[in-house]
């Protein structure tokens, strides 16, 4: 349940970022964070489905969204990287608890699914933030071009 709330908090954060980037005129950034928000929502749904299939009650309570301050566009990406690292740490803790409890079905499910996706997300966000910090202010346009090439 805690991880579901965390994923839903990520969803809220990324929806906020999508809106902020829209207001700043970054259409590709708006779309990117909207897409990221939908992915976070999907992560929560995947966890809920797993819990339901295993007769574990899902209880969604108050979703706590951490405070953040955005002064310039790079702050959005820096916060995203920090958040994705934190999310990976949380999933790793869950994985370690499953190892201790010898819950091999869950270990396989998490390691081949959500944890793998999370590590990829963290890597992507880190690369984007690094490019922006190095002065590449066209990264959002490049991301849009890549998405177009992939037909996404």
């Amino acid at each position: 349940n805690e991880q579901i709330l965390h994923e839903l908090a990520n969803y809220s954060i990324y929806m906020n970022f999508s809106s902020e980037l829209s207001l700043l005129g970054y259409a590709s950034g708006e779309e990117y964070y909207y897409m990221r928000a939908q992915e976070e929502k999907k992560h929560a749904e995947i966890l809920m489905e797993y819990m339901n299939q295993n007769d574990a009650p899902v209880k969604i309570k108050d979703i706590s969204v951490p405070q953040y301050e955005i002064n310039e566009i790079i702050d959005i990406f820096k916060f995203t990287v920090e958040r994705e690292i934190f999310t990976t740490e949380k999933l790793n803790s869950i994985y370690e608890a499953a190892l201790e409890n010898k819950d091999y079905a869950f270990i396989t499910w998490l390691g081949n699914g959500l944890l793998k996706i999370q590590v990829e997300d963290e890597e992507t966000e880190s690369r984007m933030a690094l490019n922006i910090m190095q002065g590449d202010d066209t990264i959002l346009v490049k991301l849009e071009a890549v998405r177009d090439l992939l037909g996404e």
Side-chain angles (χ1 to χ4, degrees):
N1 282 314
E2 183 181 325
Q3 188 64 32
I4 291 169
L5 294 174
H6 180 82
E7 299 292 344
L8 291 173
N10 287 352
Y11 165 80
S12 296
I13 292 165
Y14 296 156
M15 285 301 291
N16 290 339
F17 288 170
S18 176
S19 177
E20 290 177 41
L21 288 166
S22 174
L23 293 174
L24 292 171
Y26 291 99
S28 58
E30 172 193 6
E31 291 173 22
Y32 175 76
Y33 272 97
Y34 179 82
M35 176 189 71
R36 292 287 298 127
Q38 300 310 310
E39 288 175 8
E40 297 300 324
K41 183 178 159 194
K42 182 67 177 170
H43 296 171
E45 291 169 349
I46 289 168
L47 288 164
M48 290 168 39
E49 182 180 327
Y50 181 86
M51 290 180 68
N52 287 334
Q53 289 173 349
N54 290 280
D55 299 323
V58 174
K59 296 187 191 286
I60 298 176
K61 298 179 182 177
D62 295 331
I63 300 169
S64 176
V65 177
Q67 296 291 335
Y68 58 87
E69 187 174 328
I70 305 299
N71 294 313
E72 51 188 314
I73 192 168
I74 188 61
D75 295 336
I76 290 174
F77 292 95
K78 286 180 180 177
F79 185 84
T80 302
V81 170
E82 292 169 5
R83 189 69 182 178
E84 292 299 325
I85 289 169
F86 180 56
T87 301
T88 301
E89 290 170 353
K90 288 180 69 60
L91 287 170
N92 283 336
S93 294
I94 293 169
Y95 189 87
E96 289 170 12
L99 281 173
E100 287 175 16
N101 291 317
K102 298 181 181 181
D103 186 350
Y104 301 115
F106 183 74
I107 291 166
T108 301
W109 178 84
L110 183 63
N112 290 333
L114 200 53
L115 190 54
K116 181 180 177 187
I117 292 166
Q118 180 57 39
V119 169
E120 291 168 357
D121 288 349
E122 182 182 323
E123 183 179 312
T124 298
E125 296 303 331
S126 296
R127 261 184 292 151
M128 286 182 64
L130 180 63
N131 286 343
I132 291 170
M133 286 186 280
Q134 291 175 338
D136 184 356
D137 59 358
T138 62
I139 190 66
L140 297 175
V141 174
K142 289 179 181 177
L143 175 65
E144 191 170 89
V146 169
R147 287 178 53 214
D148 288 344
L149 283 173
L150 296 175
E152 296 179 355

